[in-house]
């Protein structure tokens, strides 16, 4: 069995579960899966997800400002050693790179610069919010009209010690994905948001580090949501679809309220949801 089918087995009978989870699509050969590029692929979230998605059978390109920076990490992962690195500077103490050693035989993982991201079927925005559009804008002509899926993981409200995550102007859309969609202005590109509240240290190549909390919230346009639902299941997690793009402001990371906490608790007790970060 390929790596993808092995991980799917970790979900058990997810496709027959009753509850809030999206129906699991029928497993398919990895040769039929869409390709993925990750802008911000050398960041902590990017590295952990590149390893997880490659292990799930996807063809993944880890993108960075220079291909060489990504290549060093890709080589380490493909050696089977995983990838561990201490974070220094303003973000020290916020969590390190900690991909464990994992057999990477058969992985389709490569390095690329940011321009290479346009070649993939799924383009993942994995940078800080403030960096995403400046990277996406130059390659927009290569994306528009091609029917791409964009998975937006940026968090404009997730405050960081280095100054990123300062929020959005009050007089505009209150979700980064809505701003990015408006700026790209391409009806053939479909958008979804997910992984907004997942800590990278919990993402292992073989599935969630805490298997008792495997749920990830997803929202967006149906075509993109369907692609992301499959993606989440294939690397051992469970997707919960919250709605279309209209709900995006409610699921931005870093926006905490008693209502959101109470809602999470209520759904956990009544419906069995097990969000990765919990309450």
């Amino acid at each position: 069995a390929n790596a993808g089918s092995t991980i799917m087995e970790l979900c058990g009978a997810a496709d027959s579960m009753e509850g809030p989870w999206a129906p699991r699509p029928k497993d398919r050969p990895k040769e039929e899966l869409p390709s993925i590029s990750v802008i911000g692929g050398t960041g902590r979230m990017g590295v952990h997800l590149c390893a997880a998605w490659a292990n799930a059978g996807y063809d993944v390109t880890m993108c960075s400002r220079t291909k060489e920076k990504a290549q060093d990490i890709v080589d380490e992962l493909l050696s089977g050693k995983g990838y561990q690195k201490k974070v220094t500077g303003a973000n020290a103490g916020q969590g390190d790179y900690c991909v464990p050693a994992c057999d990477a035989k058969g992985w389709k993982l490569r390095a690329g610069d940011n321009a290479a991201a346009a070649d993939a079927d799924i383009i993942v925005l994995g940078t800080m919010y403030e960096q995403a559009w400046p990277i996406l804008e130059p390659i927009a002509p290569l994306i528009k009209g091609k029917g791409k899926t964009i998975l937006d993981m940026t968090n404009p409200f997730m405050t960081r010690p280095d100054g990123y995550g300062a929020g959005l102007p009050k007089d505009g859309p209150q979700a980064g994905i809505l701003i990015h969609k408006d700026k790209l202005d391409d009806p053939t590109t479909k958008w979804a948001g997910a992984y907004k509240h997942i800590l990278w240290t919990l993402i292992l190549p073989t599935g969630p580090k805490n298997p008792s909390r495997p749920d990830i919230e997803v929202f967006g346009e149906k075509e993109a949501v369907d692609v992301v639902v499959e993606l989440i299941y294939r690397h051992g997690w469970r997707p919960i679809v919250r709605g279309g793009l209209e709900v995006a402001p409610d699921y931005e990371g870093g926006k905490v309220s008693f209502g959101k906490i109470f809602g999470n608790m209520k759904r956990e007790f009544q419906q069995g949801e097990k969000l990765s970060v919990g309450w």
Side-chain angles (χ1 to χ4, degrees):
N2 62 49
S5 62
T6 301
I7 291 174
M8 293 289 278
E9 291 168 3
L10 296 176
C11 297
D15 52 348
S16 62
M17 290 186 303
E18 293 184 3
W21 305 283
R24 190 179 76 190
K26 183 179 179 181
D27 195 15
R28 54 177 170 162
K30 60 184 180 181
E31 292 78 16
E32 298 178 9
L33 295 174
S35 57
I36 303 173
S37 62
V38 184
I39 294 174
T42 58
R44 292 167 294 186
M45 192 72 168
V47 170
H48 281 250
L49 280 172
C50 282
W53 291 334
N55 196 51
Y58 287 88
D59 185 329
V60 181
T61 301
M62 179 186 292
C63 299
S64 187
R65 286 186 295 273
T66 67
K67 180 179 178 180
E68 291 72 24
K69 180 179 180 181
Q71 190 66 59
D72 290 342
I73 301 174
V74 166
D75 290 345
E76 189 93 358
L77 289 170
L78 291 178
S79 74
K81 299 176 183 177
Y83 186 75
Q84 296 83 38
K85 180 184 175 183
K86 293 287 290 183
V87 174
T88 59
N91 292 325
Q94 298 290 304
D96 300 317
Y97 294 81
C98 51
V99 180
C102 180
D103 182 2
K105 184 178 180 180
W107 285 14
K108 293 182 179 179
L109 178 64
R110 63 176 62 86
D113 60 15
N114 288 327
D119 296 334
D121 302 311
I122 305 171
I123 300 169
V124 180
L125 302 183
T127 64
M128 286 72 77
Y129 167 77
E130 291 87 345
Q131 293 182 346
W133 181 246
I135 294 173
L136 198 60
E137 185 177 21
I139 62 174
L142 303 175
I143 295 173
K144 296 174 77 166
K146 303 291 180 61
K148 305 287 187 178
T149 296
I150 296 185
L151 169 56
D152 193 330
M153 303 193 305
T154 62
N155 275 318
F157 297 96
M158 191 71 78
T159 305
R160 292 166 45 119
D162 57 7
Y164 289 104
L168 297 171
K170 300 289 186 183
D171 59 351
Q174 293 302 292
I177 190 173
L178 299 179
I179 295 173
H180 292 150
K181 183 178 187 298
D182 286 346
K183 286 184 174 180
L184 185 64
D185 190 25
D186 176 39
T188 77
T189 298
K190 302 305 177 183
W191 293 77
Y195 299 90
K196 293 275 189 171
H197 304 88
I198 311 299
L199 191 63
W200 60 87
T201 57
L202 299 177
I203 300 172
L204 305 182
T206 52
K209 185 175 182 179
N210 183 357
S212 67
R213 288 200 164 276
D215 293 346
I216 297 176
E217 295 173 310
V218 188
F219 59 85
E221 297 175 293
K222 184 181 185 307
E223 299 92 333
V225 166
D226 288 346
V227 170
V228 175
V229 161
E230 179 181 41
L231 185 67
I232 290 170
Y233 271 129
R234 284 194 70 97
H235 75 106
W237 296 66
R238 298 187 305 193
I240 298 175
V241 178
R242 295 303 194 198
L245 287 175
E246 72 279 356
V247 306
D250 298 328
Y251 294 99
E252 287 286 15
K255 297 175 73 174
V256 180
S257 68
F258 277 115
K260 181 178 287 189
I261 294 171
F262 179 76
N264 286 348
M265 292 176 65
K266 184 178 179 180
R267 287 189 296 269
E268 175 154 338
F269 290 129
Q270 293 184 351
Q271 301 179 40
E273 292 187 6
K274 296 291 184 181
L275 296 178
S276 177
V277 177
W279 315 323

